[in-house]
Amino acid sequence: MSMINYAWEGTKLTRLKMGAVGSSFYLILTIVFFYFLVRLEPLYPGEDTFMRAVGFMFAIIVTSVAFVTCFIMTGLSKRKNLNI
């Protein structure tokens, strides 16, 4: 479990803000890769762009999963008491 849960002191709203700011990098990367996928053109006449498109789709999947995971771990996780 994330150690942020035990160190964080604040309201649920500020936790959501912190999670949104922390995971926004992955959302920006997802948008950038989507833009590259939409603007994909062959580098020379007759080039097959299928493999580059597949690479961009994998990048979009990976960065969107990273965004969701980071947001859930930092912004939506429940705080539990640590009994050590």
Side-chain angles (χ1 to χ4, degrees):
M1 178 142 272
S2 176
M3 291 306 293
I4 294 172
N5 292 332
Y6 305 116
W8 181 260
E9 293 179 10
T11 64
K12 186 166 179 78
L13 181 62
T14 56
R15 180 184 287 266
L16 288 174
K17 287 179 187 177
M18 186 236 352
V21 169
S23 60
S24 65
F25 172 73
Y26 298 115
L27 183 62
I28 292 169
L29 273 179
T30 302
I31 293 169
V32 167
F33 287 134
F34 184 74
Y35 175 78
F36 285 157
L37 179 65
V38 169
R39 302 286 301 179
L40 186 63
E41 294 180 359
L43 297 177
Y44 55 88
E47 180 192 21
D48 185 18
T49 58
F50 175 74
M51 291 307 291
R52 273 197 292 160
V54 169
F56 284 131
M57 285 191 278
F58 279 141
I60 290 168
I61 291 170
V62 168
T63 55
S64 61
V65 168
F67 167 74
V68 170
T69 304
C70 182
F71 185 73
I72 288 172
M73 291 298 292
T74 58
L76 298 177
S77 57
K78 297 195 185 289
R79 185 175 185 169
K80 297 177 184 175
N81 291 335
L82 185 62
N83 297 326
I84 296 179

